[in-house]
Amino acid sequence: MATRETCALVTGGSRGIGAAIARALAADGWPVAVNFRSGEAAAPAVVDEIVAAGGTAVPVAGDVSAPGAAEQLLAEAERQLAPIGALVNNAGVNADGLALQLEDDDWNRVIETNLSAAFRLTRQAVRGMIRRRHGRVVNIASVVGTTLTNPGQANYAASKAGLVAMTKAIAVEVARRGVTVNAVAPGFIATEMTAELTTGTLEAVPARRAGRPEEVAASVRFLASDEAAYITGATLVVDGGLSA
Ligand code: NDP
Protein backbone atom coordinates (compact mmCIF):
# COMPACT_ATOMS: atom_id res chain seq x y z
CA MET A 1 0.00 0.00 0.00
CA ALA A 2 1.36 3.40 -0.94
CA THR A 3 1.95 5.62 2.06
CA ARG A 4 0.18 8.48 0.26
CA GLU A 5 -3.17 6.78 0.99
CA THR A 6 -2.55 7.18 4.69
CA CYS A 7 -1.32 10.01 6.88
CA ALA A 8 1.22 10.53 9.63
CA LEU A 9 0.42 11.90 13.09
CA VAL A 10 3.30 13.59 14.90
CA THR A 11 2.64 14.40 18.55
CA GLY A 12 4.21 17.56 19.93
CA GLY A 13 4.91 18.76 16.41
CA SER A 14 4.77 22.48 17.02
CA ARG A 15 8.46 22.97 17.77
CA GLY A 16 11.82 21.30 18.30
CA ILE A 17 12.33 17.74 17.12
CA GLY A 18 8.61 17.20 16.45
CA ALA A 19 8.42 20.13 14.02
CA ALA A 20 11.48 18.82 12.16
CA ILE A 21 9.88 15.35 11.97
CA ALA A 22 6.65 16.82 10.59
CA ARG A 23 8.60 18.69 7.90
CA ALA A 24 10.70 15.64 6.99
CA LEU A 25 7.70 13.30 6.69
CA ALA A 26 5.82 15.86 4.60
CA ALA A 27 8.84 16.17 2.31
CA ASP A 28 8.63 12.40 1.86
CA GLY A 29 5.03 12.67 0.69
CA TRP A 30 3.17 11.98 3.93
CA PRO A 31 0.13 14.13 4.66
CA VAL A 32 0.96 15.14 8.23
CA ALA A 33 -1.26 15.88 11.24
CA VAL A 34 0.80 18.21 13.44
CA ASN A 35 -0.35 17.78 17.03
CA PHE A 36 0.18 20.60 19.49
CA ARG A 37 -0.78 21.27 23.08
CA SER A 38 -0.12 24.94 23.67
CA GLY A 39 1.59 26.11 20.48
CA GLU A 40 -1.46 27.79 18.92
CA ALA A 41 0.77 30.00 16.82
CA ALA A 42 3.69 27.64 16.34
CA ALA A 43 1.78 24.62 14.99
CA PRO A 44 -0.01 26.56 12.21
CA ALA A 45 3.36 28.07 11.29
CA VAL A 46 4.81 24.57 10.84
CA VAL A 47 1.74 23.62 8.80
CA ASP A 48 2.03 26.76 6.63
CA GLU A 49 5.69 26.03 5.98
CA ILE A 50 4.88 22.47 4.86
CA VAL A 51 2.05 23.64 2.61
CA ALA A 52 4.26 26.38 1.11
CA ALA A 53 6.80 23.69 0.25
CA GLY A 54 4.11 21.74 -1.62
CA GLY A 55 3.16 19.31 1.13
CA THR A 56 -0.05 18.54 3.01
CA ALA A 57 -0.47 19.19 6.72
CA VAL A 58 -3.09 20.18 9.28
CA PRO A 59 -2.79 21.23 12.92
CA VAL A 60 -4.48 18.96 15.48
CA ALA A 61 -4.88 20.37 18.98
CA GLY A 62 -4.78 18.25 22.10
CA ASP A 63 -2.86 17.29 25.22
CA VAL A 64 -1.71 13.69 24.62
CA SER A 65 -1.96 12.92 28.33
CA ALA A 66 -5.63 13.94 28.63
CA PRO A 67 -8.30 11.25 29.02
CA GLY A 68 -9.60 10.16 25.63
CA ALA A 69 -6.84 12.02 23.79
CA ALA A 70 -5.68 9.01 21.77
CA GLU A 71 -9.12 8.40 20.27
CA GLN A 72 -9.76 12.11 19.73
CA LEU A 73 -6.41 12.94 18.07
CA LEU A 74 -6.44 9.95 15.76
CA ALA A 75 -10.07 10.53 14.76
CA GLU A 76 -9.35 14.18 14.01
CA ALA A 77 -6.29 13.36 11.89
CA GLU A 78 -8.28 10.72 9.98
CA ARG A 79 -11.23 13.07 9.50
CA GLN A 80 -9.05 15.81 8.03
CA LEU A 81 -6.52 13.73 6.12
CA ALA A 82 -6.60 9.94 5.77
CA PRO A 83 -6.29 6.75 7.83
CA ILE A 84 -3.24 6.72 10.09
CA GLY A 85 -0.30 5.01 8.39
CA ALA A 86 2.43 6.38 10.65
CA LEU A 87 2.38 7.47 14.28
CA VAL A 88 5.31 9.34 15.76
CA ASN A 89 5.14 9.56 19.54
CA ASN A 90 7.36 12.59 20.01
CA ALA A 91 5.59 14.70 22.67
CA GLY A 92 7.70 14.65 25.79
CA VAL A 93 8.39 16.60 28.95
CA ASN A 94 10.89 16.55 31.75
CA ALA A 95 10.44 17.62 35.37
CA ASP A 96 13.84 17.09 36.90
CA GLY A 97 14.64 16.70 40.56
CA LEU A 98 16.64 14.40 42.77
CA ALA A 99 14.57 11.33 43.63
CA LEU A 100 14.33 12.17 47.33
CA GLN A 101 12.62 15.45 46.47
CA LEU A 102 10.63 14.36 43.44
CA GLU A 103 6.90 14.94 43.99
CA ASP A 104 4.26 12.44 42.85
CA ASP A 105 2.90 15.05 40.44
CA ASP A 106 6.25 15.39 38.68
CA TRP A 107 6.63 11.62 38.50
CA ASN A 108 3.12 11.10 37.15
CA ARG A 109 3.19 13.95 34.62
CA VAL A 110 6.36 12.69 32.98
CA ILE A 111 5.29 9.04 32.93
CA GLU A 112 1.81 9.95 31.65
CA THR A 113 3.06 12.19 28.83
CA ASN A 114 6.16 10.29 27.72
CA LEU A 115 5.03 6.70 28.21
CA SER A 116 1.33 6.12 28.96
CA ALA A 117 0.10 8.52 26.27
CA ALA A 118 2.43 6.87 23.73
CA PHE A 119 0.99 3.48 24.72
CA ARG A 120 -2.62 4.60 24.34
CA LEU A 121 -1.95 6.25 20.96
CA THR A 122 -0.08 3.18 19.72
CA ARG A 123 -2.82 0.80 20.91
CA GLN A 124 -5.42 2.81 19.04
CA ALA A 125 -3.40 3.49 15.86
CA VAL A 126 -2.20 -0.07 15.43
CA ARG A 127 -5.78 -1.41 15.12
CA GLY A 128 -6.25 0.21 11.71
CA MET A 129 -2.66 -0.50 10.65
CA ILE A 130 -3.19 -4.22 11.27
CA ARG A 131 -6.37 -4.17 9.20
CA ARG A 132 -4.50 -2.51 6.33
CA ARG A 133 -1.45 -4.77 6.81
CA HIS A 134 0.79 -1.71 6.79
CA GLY A 135 1.90 0.74 9.43
CA ARG A 136 4.77 2.52 11.11
CA VAL A 137 5.13 3.55 14.73
CA VAL A 138 8.21 5.51 15.78
CA ASN A 139 8.72 6.38 19.44
CA ILE A 140 11.10 9.17 20.38
CA ALA A 141 13.01 7.78 23.34
CA SER A 142 16.37 9.04 24.62
CA VAL A 143 19.85 7.81 25.40
CA VAL A 144 18.89 8.75 28.97
CA GLY A 145 17.37 5.66 30.48
CA THR A 146 18.97 3.23 28.09
CA THR A 147 22.71 3.79 27.84
CA LEU A 148 23.22 6.91 29.99
CA THR A 149 22.06 8.03 33.40
CA ASN A 150 21.62 11.57 34.67
CA PRO A 151 21.08 12.38 38.34
CA GLY A 152 17.75 14.15 38.80
CA GLN A 153 15.96 12.34 35.99
CA ALA A 154 14.48 9.21 37.60
CA ASN A 155 11.05 9.98 36.12
CA TYR A 156 12.35 10.91 32.66
CA ALA A 157 14.79 7.97 32.50
CA ALA A 158 12.08 5.52 33.59
CA SER A 159 9.67 6.89 30.97
CA LYS A 160 12.20 6.59 28.16
CA ALA A 161 13.48 3.15 29.19
CA GLY A 162 9.84 2.09 29.37
CA LEU A 163 9.27 3.45 25.88
CA VAL A 164 12.13 1.34 24.50
CA ALA A 165 10.81 -1.79 26.24
CA MET A 166 7.28 -1.06 25.04
CA THR A 167 8.58 -0.56 21.49
CA LYS A 168 10.11 -4.04 21.47
CA ALA A 169 7.09 -5.73 23.05
CA ILE A 170 4.54 -4.26 20.63
CA ALA A 171 6.89 -4.76 17.66
CA VAL A 172 6.93 -8.53 18.16
CA GLU A 173 3.16 -8.61 18.62
CA VAL A 174 2.38 -6.93 15.28
CA ALA A 175 5.39 -7.86 13.09
CA ARG A 176 3.53 -10.46 11.03
CA ARG A 177 0.87 -7.88 10.11
CA GLY A 178 3.21 -5.57 8.19
CA VAL A 179 3.41 -3.06 11.03
CA THR A 180 6.78 -1.95 12.38
CA VAL A 181 7.41 -0.34 15.75
CA ASN A 182 10.77 1.29 16.37
CA ALA A 183 12.38 3.88 18.61
CA VAL A 184 14.83 6.68 17.95
CA ALA A 185 17.03 7.61 20.89
CA PRO A 186 18.52 11.09 20.55
CA GLY A 187 21.42 12.37 22.61
CA PHE A 188 21.82 16.13 23.14
CA ILE A 189 19.76 17.92 20.49
CA ALA A 190 19.57 21.71 20.33
CA THR A 191 15.94 22.52 21.27
CA GLU A 192 14.14 24.41 24.01
CA MET A 193 14.34 21.28 26.18
CA THR A 194 18.13 21.50 26.23
CA ALA A 195 18.41 25.31 26.12
CA GLU A 196 20.23 25.32 29.45
CA LEU A 197 22.92 22.89 28.33
CA THR A 198 26.39 24.02 29.27
CA THR A 199 29.39 23.84 26.98
CA GLY A 200 30.83 21.37 29.48
CA THR A 201 28.03 18.92 28.73
CA LEU A 202 28.88 19.00 25.05
CA GLU A 203 32.52 18.15 25.79
CA ALA A 204 31.26 14.65 26.65
CA VAL A 205 29.92 14.27 23.10
CA PRO A 206 32.53 12.75 20.75
CA ALA A 207 31.14 14.85 17.87
CA ARG A 208 31.75 17.95 20.08
CA ARG A 209 28.44 19.55 19.18
CA ALA A 210 24.74 19.26 19.86
CA GLY A 211 22.65 17.46 17.28
CA ARG A 212 20.12 19.27 15.11
CA PRO A 213 16.41 18.36 15.16
CA GLU A 214 16.68 17.60 11.43
CA GLU A 215 19.28 14.92 12.19
CA VAL A 216 16.77 13.10 14.39
CA ALA A 217 13.99 13.68 11.87
CA ALA A 218 16.00 12.02 9.09
CA SER A 219 16.06 8.77 11.09
CA VAL A 220 12.33 8.94 11.70
CA ARG A 221 11.69 9.56 8.03
CA PHE A 222 13.72 6.45 7.17
CA LEU A 223 12.00 4.25 9.75
CA ALA A 224 8.61 5.41 8.43
CA SER A 225 9.55 4.60 4.83
CA ASP A 226 8.85 1.44 2.85
CA GLU A 227 12.61 0.82 2.73
CA ALA A 228 12.59 0.15 6.49
CA ALA A 229 9.98 -2.62 6.27
CA TYR A 230 12.29 -5.26 7.82
CA ILE A 231 13.42 -3.11 10.75
CA THR A 232 11.24 -3.53 13.81
CA GLY A 233 11.75 -3.49 17.55
CA ALA A 234 14.95 -1.51 17.01
CA THR A 235 16.24 1.59 18.74
CA LEU A 236 18.27 3.86 16.48
CA VAL A 237 20.66 6.01 18.50
CA VAL A 238 21.31 9.54 17.19
CA ASP A 239 23.79 11.03 19.64
CA GLY A 240 27.08 12.03 17.99
CA GLY A 241 28.77 9.04 19.63
CA LEU A 242 27.76 9.95 23.20
CA SER A 243 26.76 6.43 24.17
CA ALA A 244 29.26 4.60 21.96
P1 NDP B 1 10.69 20.55 23.23
O1 NDP B 1 10.49 20.83 24.67
O2 NDP B 1 11.40 21.52 22.37
O3 NDP B 1 9.29 20.21 22.54
C1 NDP B 1 8.43 19.29 23.14
C2 NDP B 1 7.19 19.21 22.32
O4 NDP B 1 6.30 18.27 22.96
C3 NDP B 1 6.46 20.53 22.24
O5 NDP B 1 5.90 20.67 20.96
C4 NDP B 1 5.39 20.37 23.30
O6 NDP B 1 4.26 21.14 23.09
C5 NDP B 1 5.05 18.92 23.13
N1 NDP B 1 4.32 18.41 24.27
C6 NDP B 1 4.74 18.30 25.54
N2 NDP B 1 3.78 17.79 26.31
C7 NDP B 1 2.73 17.57 25.49
C8 NDP B 1 1.44 17.05 25.69
N3 NDP B 1 1.02 16.65 26.89
N4 NDP B 1 0.61 16.95 24.62
C9 NDP B 1 1.00 17.34 23.39
N5 NDP B 1 2.22 17.85 23.15
C10 NDP B 1 3.07 17.96 24.19
O7 NDP B 1 11.39 19.15 23.21
P2 NDP B 1 12.29 18.43 22.12
O8 NDP B 1 11.88 18.80 20.75
O9 NDP B 1 13.68 18.59 22.52
O10 NDP B 1 11.88 16.92 22.43
C11 NDP B 1 11.04 16.15 21.61
C12 NDP B 1 11.14 14.70 22.08
O11 NDP B 1 12.49 14.28 21.99
C13 NDP B 1 10.73 14.51 23.55
O12 NDP B 1 10.06 13.28 23.69
C14 NDP B 1 12.07 14.47 24.26
O13 NDP B 1 12.00 13.74 25.47
C15 NDP B 1 12.92 13.76 23.23
N6 NDP B 1 14.34 13.98 23.38
C16 NDP B 1 14.89 15.22 23.28
C17 NDP B 1 16.26 15.37 23.42
C18 NDP B 1 16.94 16.70 23.29
O14 NDP B 1 18.15 16.74 23.51
N7 NDP B 1 16.26 17.77 22.94
C19 NDP B 1 17.12 14.23 23.71
C20 NDP B 1 16.45 12.98 23.80
C21 NDP B 1 15.10 12.87 23.64
P3 NDP B 1 3.98 22.49 23.93
O15 NDP B 1 4.59 23.57 23.11
O16 NDP B 1 2.50 22.59 23.99
O17 NDP B 1 4.60 22.32 25.28
Side-chain angles (χ1 to χ4, degrees), residues 34-59:
V34 181
N35 162 248
F36 68 99
R37 178 183 53 166
S38 61
E40 285 86 359
V46 174
V47 166
D48 288 350
E49 205 182 320
I50 288 171
V51 171
T56 302
V58 294

PDB file of all heavy atoms in Angstrom, residues 34-59:
ATOM      1  N   VAL A  34      -0.178  17.632  12.503  1.00  0.00           N
ATOM      2  CA  VAL A  34       0.795  18.213  13.444  1.00  0.00           C
ATOM      3  C   VAL A  34       0.089  18.482  14.766  1.00  0.00           C
ATOM      4  O   VAL A  34      -0.650  19.464  14.904  1.00  0.00           O
ATOM      5  CB  VAL A  34       1.388  19.523  12.868  1.00  0.00           C
ATOM      6  CG1 VAL A  34       2.414  20.117  13.831  1.00  0.00           C
ATOM      7  CG2 VAL A  34       2.015  19.275  11.501  1.00  0.00           C
ATOM      8  N   ASN A  35       0.298  17.599  15.720  1.00  0.00           N
ATOM      9  CA  ASN A  35      -0.353  17.779  17.027  1.00  0.00           C
ATOM     10  C   ASN A  35       0.380  18.843  17.839  1.00  0.00           C
ATOM     11  O   ASN A  35       1.595  18.957  17.784  1.00  0.00           O
ATOM     12  CB  ASN A  35      -0.349  16.452  17.801  1.00  0.00           C
ATOM     13  CG  ASN A  35      -0.586  16.638  19.290  1.00  0.00           C
ATOM     14  OD1 ASN A  35       0.311  16.403  20.095  1.00  0.00           O
ATOM     15  ND2 ASN A  35      -1.763  17.086  19.663  1.00  0.00           N
ATOM     16  N   PHE A  36      -0.419  19.621  18.567  1.00  0.00           N
ATOM     17  CA  PHE A  36       0.179  20.596  19.485  1.00  0.00           C
ATOM     18  C   PHE A  36      -0.692  20.695  20.724  1.00  0.00           C
ATOM     19  O   PHE A  36      -1.884  20.412  20.694  1.00  0.00           O
ATOM     20  CB  PHE A  36       0.324  21.971  18.825  1.00  0.00           C
ATOM     21  CG  PHE A  36      -1.000  22.638  18.538  1.00  0.00           C
ATOM     22  CD1 PHE A  36      -1.491  23.606  19.393  1.00  0.00           C
ATOM     23  CD2 PHE A  36      -1.739  22.286  17.430  1.00  0.00           C
ATOM     24  CE1 PHE A  36      -2.711  24.220  19.144  1.00  0.00           C
ATOM     25  CE2 PHE A  36      -2.962  22.889  17.175  1.00  0.00           C
ATOM     26  CZ  PHE A  36      -3.446  23.865  18.027  1.00  0.00           C
ATOM     27  N   ARG A  37      -0.043  21.087  21.822  1.00  0.00           N
ATOM     28  CA  ARG A  37      -0.780  21.268  23.077  1.00  0.00           C
ATOM     29  C   ARG A  37      -1.028  22.751  23.297  1.00  0.00           C
ATOM     30  O   ARG A  37      -2.164  23.196  23.329  1.00  0.00           O
ATOM     31  CB  ARG A  37       0.014  20.661  24.236  1.00  0.00           C
ATOM     32  CG  ARG A  37      -0.623  20.839  25.588  1.00  0.00           C
ATOM     33  CD  ARG A  37       0.266  20.272  26.673  1.00  0.00           C
ATOM     34  NE  ARG A  37       1.625  20.812  26.598  1.00  0.00           N
ATOM     35  CZ  ARG A  37       2.525  20.690  27.565  1.00  0.00           C
ATOM     36  NH1 ARG A  37       2.217  20.027  28.660  1.00  0.00           N
ATOM     37  NH2 ARG A  37       3.737  21.206  27.420  1.00  0.00           N
ATOM     38  N   SER A  38       0.050  23.521  23.373  1.00  0.00           N
ATOM     39  CA  SER A  38      -0.122  24.942  23.670  1.00  0.00           C
ATOM     40  C   SER A  38       0.419  25.857  22.568  1.00  0.00           C
ATOM     41  O   SER A  38       0.333  27.064  22.677  1.00  0.00           O
ATOM     42  CB  SER A  38       0.577  25.276  24.993  1.00  0.00           C
ATOM     43  OG  SER A  38       1.955  25.006  24.868  1.00  0.00           O
ATOM     44  N   GLY A  39       0.974  25.279  21.510  1.00  0.00           N
ATOM     45  CA  GLY A  39       1.591  26.115  20.478  1.00  0.00           C
ATOM     46  C   GLY A  39       0.602  26.574  19.428  1.00  0.00           C
ATOM     47  O   GLY A  39       0.729  26.274  18.239  1.00  0.00           O
ATOM     48  N   GLU A  40      -0.405  27.366  19.853  1.00  0.00           N
ATOM     49  CA  GLU A  40      -1.464  27.786  18.916  1.00  0.00           C
ATOM     50  C   GLU A  40      -0.914  28.542  17.718  1.00  0.00           C
ATOM     51  O   GLU A  40      -1.477  28.507  16.639  1.00  0.00           O
ATOM     52  CB  GLU A  40      -2.517  28.657  19.614  1.00  0.00           C
ATOM     53  CG  GLU A  40      -3.477  27.898  20.505  1.00  0.00           C
ATOM     54  CD  GLU A  40      -2.919  27.700  21.909  1.00  0.00           C
ATOM     55  OE1 GLU A  40      -1.786  28.145  22.169  1.00  0.00           O
ATOM     56  OE2 GLU A  40      -3.605  27.089  22.741  1.00  0.00           O
ATOM     57  N   ALA A  41       0.172  29.271  17.937  1.00  0.00           N
ATOM     58  CA  ALA A  41       0.766  30.000  16.815  1.00  0.00           C
ATOM     59  C   ALA A  41       1.826  29.159  16.121  1.00  0.00           C
ATOM     60  O   ALA A  41       1.956  29.192  14.891  1.00  0.00           O
ATOM     61  CB  ALA A  41       1.392  31.304  17.322  1.00  0.00           C
ATOM     62  N   ALA A  42       2.559  28.386  16.902  1.00  0.00           N
ATOM     63  CA  ALA A  42       3.691  27.638  16.340  1.00  0.00           C
ATOM     64  C   ALA A  42       3.236  26.517  15.414  1.00  0.00           C
ATOM     65  O   ALA A  42       3.811  26.320  14.338  1.00  0.00           O
ATOM     66  CB  ALA A  42       4.558  27.079  17.470  1.00  0.00           C
ATOM     67  N   ALA A  43       2.200  25.769  15.809  1.00  0.00           N
ATOM     68  CA  ALA A  43       1.776  24.623  14.988  1.00  0.00           C
ATOM     69  C   ALA A  43       1.273  25.073  13.610  1.00  0.00           C
ATOM     70  O   ALA A  43       1.702  24.519  12.590  1.00  0.00           O
ATOM     71  CB  ALA A  43       0.729  23.792  15.722  1.00  0.00           C
ATOM     72  N   PRO A  44       0.391  26.099  13.548  1.00  0.00           N
ATOM     73  CA  PRO A  44      -0.013  26.565  12.213  1.00  0.00           C
ATOM     74  C   PRO A  44       1.177  27.060  11.385  1.00  0.00           C
ATOM     75  O   PRO A  44       1.173  26.923  10.148  1.00  0.00           O
ATOM     76  CB  PRO A  44      -0.991  27.709  12.527  1.00  0.00           C
ATOM     77  CG  PRO A  44      -1.545  27.365  13.861  1.00  0.00           C
ATOM     78  CD  PRO A  44      -0.408  26.723  14.612  1.00  0.00           C
ATOM     79  N   ALA A  45       2.181  27.609  12.036  1.00  0.00           N
ATOM     80  CA  ALA A  45       3.360  28.072  11.288  1.00  0.00           C
ATOM     81  C   ALA A  45       4.089  26.883  10.655  1.00  0.00           C
ATOM     82  O   ALA A  45       4.545  26.957   9.500  1.00  0.00           O
ATOM     83  CB  ALA A  45       4.302  28.848  12.216  1.00  0.00           C
ATOM     84  N   VAL A  46       4.184  25.780  11.401  1.00  0.00           N
ATOM     85  CA  VAL A  46       4.811  24.571  10.841  1.00  0.00           C
ATOM     86  C   VAL A  46       3.972  24.063   9.667  1.00  0.00           C
ATOM     87  O   VAL A  46       4.500  23.711   8.601  1.00  0.00           O
ATOM     88  CB  VAL A  46       4.948  23.468  11.928  1.00  0.00           C
ATOM     89  CG1 VAL A  46       5.462  22.161  11.323  1.00  0.00           C
ATOM     90  CG2 VAL A  46       5.856  23.928  13.061  1.00  0.00           C
ATOM     91  N   VAL A  47       2.662  24.065   9.855  1.00  0.00           N
ATOM     92  CA  VAL A  47       1.740  23.622   8.796  1.00  0.00           C
ATOM     93  C   VAL A  47       1.890  24.507   7.550  1.00  0.00           C
ATOM     94  O   VAL A  47       2.012  24.007   6.422  1.00  0.00           O
ATOM     95  CB  VAL A  47       0.279  23.643   9.314  1.00  0.00           C
ATOM     96  CG1 VAL A  47      -0.719  23.517   8.170  1.00  0.00           C
ATOM     97  CG2 VAL A  47       0.076  22.521  10.336  1.00  0.00           C
ATOM     98  N   ASP A  48       1.911  25.827   7.761  1.00  0.00           N
ATOM     99  CA  ASP A  48       2.033  26.759   6.631  1.00  0.00           C
ATOM    100  C   ASP A  48       3.322  26.515   5.853  1.00  0.00           C
ATOM    101  O   ASP A  48       3.351  26.559   4.618  1.00  0.00           O
ATOM    102  CB  ASP A  48       2.017  28.212   7.132  1.00  0.00           C
ATOM    103  CG  ASP A  48       0.625  28.617   7.602  1.00  0.00           C
ATOM    104  OD1 ASP A  48      -0.334  27.852   7.360  1.00  0.00           O
ATOM    105  OD2 ASP A  48       0.503  29.686   8.237  1.00  0.00           O
ATOM    106  N   GLU A  49       4.392  26.262   6.613  1.00  0.00           N
ATOM    107  CA  GLU A  49       5.694  26.028   5.981  1.00  0.00           C
ATOM    108  C   GLU A  49       5.640  24.772   5.100  1.00  0.00           C
ATOM    109  O   GLU A  49       6.158  24.757   3.980  1.00  0.00           O
ATOM    110  CB  GLU A  49       6.705  25.822   7.116  1.00  0.00           C
ATOM    111  CG  GLU A  49       8.134  26.153   6.773  1.00  0.00           C
ATOM    112  CD  GLU A  49       9.022  25.857   7.972  1.00  0.00           C
ATOM    113  OE1 GLU A  49       8.611  26.143   9.124  1.00  0.00           O
ATOM    114  OE2 GLU A  49      10.106  25.315   7.752  1.00  0.00           O
ATOM    115  N   ILE A  50       4.995  23.729   5.620  1.00  0.00           N
ATOM    116  CA  ILE A  50       4.882  22.475   4.864  1.00  0.00           C
ATOM    117  C   ILE A  50       4.047  22.693   3.598  1.00  0.00           C
ATOM    118  O   ILE A  50       4.413  22.254   2.503  1.00  0.00           O
ATOM    119  CB  ILE A  50       4.246  21.375   5.749  1.00  0.00           C
ATOM    120  CG1 ILE A  50       5.255  20.924   6.821  1.00  0.00           C
ATOM    121  CG2 ILE A  50       3.783  20.185   4.909  1.00  0.00           C
ATOM    122  CD1 ILE A  50       4.679  19.998   7.883  1.00  0.00           C
ATOM    123  N   VAL A  51       2.934  23.405   3.756  1.00  0.00           N
ATOM    124  CA  VAL A  51       2.048  23.641   2.609  1.00  0.00           C
ATOM    125  C   VAL A  51       2.766  24.502   1.564  1.00  0.00           C
ATOM    126  O   VAL A  51       2.692  24.235   0.357  1.00  0.00           O
ATOM    127  CB  VAL A  51       0.725  24.285   3.076  1.00  0.00           C
ATOM    128  CG1 VAL A  51      -0.129  24.738   1.892  1.00  0.00           C
ATOM    129  CG2 VAL A  51      -0.064  23.291   3.947  1.00  0.00           C
ATOM    130  N   ALA A  52       3.513  25.510   2.039  1.00  0.00           N
ATOM    131  CA  ALA A  52       4.258  26.378   1.113  1.00  0.00           C
ATOM    132  C   ALA A  52       5.298  25.589   0.328  1.00  0.00           C
ATOM    133  O   ALA A  52       5.633  25.929  -0.809  1.00  0.00           O
ATOM    134  CB  ALA A  52       4.924  27.517   1.887  1.00  0.00           C
ATOM    135  N   ALA A  53       5.799  24.521   0.934  1.00  0.00           N
ATOM    136  CA  ALA A  53       6.801  23.687   0.252  1.00  0.00           C
ATOM    137  C   ALA A  53       6.142  22.630  -0.637  1.00  0.00           C
ATOM    138  O   ALA A  53       6.821  21.758  -1.185  1.00  0.00           O
ATOM    139  CB  ALA A  53       7.709  23.021   1.285  1.00  0.00           C
ATOM    140  N   GLY A  54       4.807  22.666  -0.725  1.00  0.00           N
ATOM    141  CA  GLY A  54       4.111  21.737  -1.618  1.00  0.00           C
ATOM    142  C   GLY A  54       3.545  20.512  -0.930  1.00  0.00           C
ATOM    143  O   GLY A  54       3.012  19.609  -1.584  1.00  0.00           O
ATOM    144  N   GLY A  55       3.649  20.462   0.399  1.00  0.00           N
ATOM    145  CA  GLY A  55       3.159  19.307   1.134  1.00  0.00           C
ATOM    146  C   GLY A  55       1.743  19.507   1.660  1.00  0.00           C
ATOM    147  O   GLY A  55       1.100  20.519   1.397  1.00  0.00           O
ATOM    148  N   THR A  56       1.287  18.506   2.418  1.00  0.00           N
ATOM    149  CA  THR A  56      -0.048  18.544   3.012  1.00  0.00           C
ATOM    150  C   THR A  56       0.087  18.379   4.513  1.00  0.00           C
ATOM    151  O   THR A  56       0.759  17.451   4.980  1.00  0.00           O
ATOM    152  CB  THR A  56      -0.917  17.385   2.461  1.00  0.00           C
ATOM    153  OG1 THR A  56      -0.974  17.507   1.044  1.00  0.00           O
ATOM    154  CG2 THR A  56      -2.320  17.421   3.045  1.00  0.00           C
ATOM    155  N   ALA A  57      -0.539  19.294   5.259  1.00  0.00           N
ATOM    156  CA  ALA A  57      -0.472  19.190   6.718  1.00  0.00           C
ATOM    157  C   ALA A  57      -1.638  19.935   7.344  1.00  0.00           C
ATOM    158  O   ALA A  57      -2.156  20.884   6.757  1.00  0.00           O
ATOM    159  CB  ALA A  57       0.843  19.764   7.240  1.00  0.00           C
ATOM    160  N   VAL A  58      -2.053  19.480   8.521  1.00  0.00           N
ATOM    161  CA  VAL A  58      -3.090  20.180   9.285  1.00  0.00           C
ATOM    162  C   VAL A  58      -2.669  20.192  10.756  1.00  0.00           C
ATOM    163  O   VAL A  58      -2.007  19.267  11.216  1.00  0.00           O
ATOM    164  CB  VAL A  58      -4.475  19.489   9.171  1.00  0.00           C
ATOM    165  CG1 VAL A  58      -5.007  19.554   7.757  1.00  0.00           C
ATOM    166  CG2 VAL A  58      -4.420  18.042   9.670  1.00  0.00           C
ATOM    167  N   PRO A  59      -3.054  21.246  11.486  1.00  0.00           N
ATOM    168  CA  PRO A  59      -2.795  21.233  12.924  1.00  0.00           C
ATOM    169  C   PRO A  59      -3.895  20.455  13.650  1.00  0.00           C
ATOM    170  O   PRO A  59      -5.052  20.533  13.258  1.00  0.00           O
ATOM    171  CB  PRO A  59      -2.849  22.720  13.305  1.00  0.00           C
ATOM    172  CG  PRO A  59      -3.684  23.368  12.258  1.00  0.00           C
ATOM    173  CD  PRO A  59      -3.660  22.500  11.024  1.00  0.00           C
TER     174      PRO A  59
END
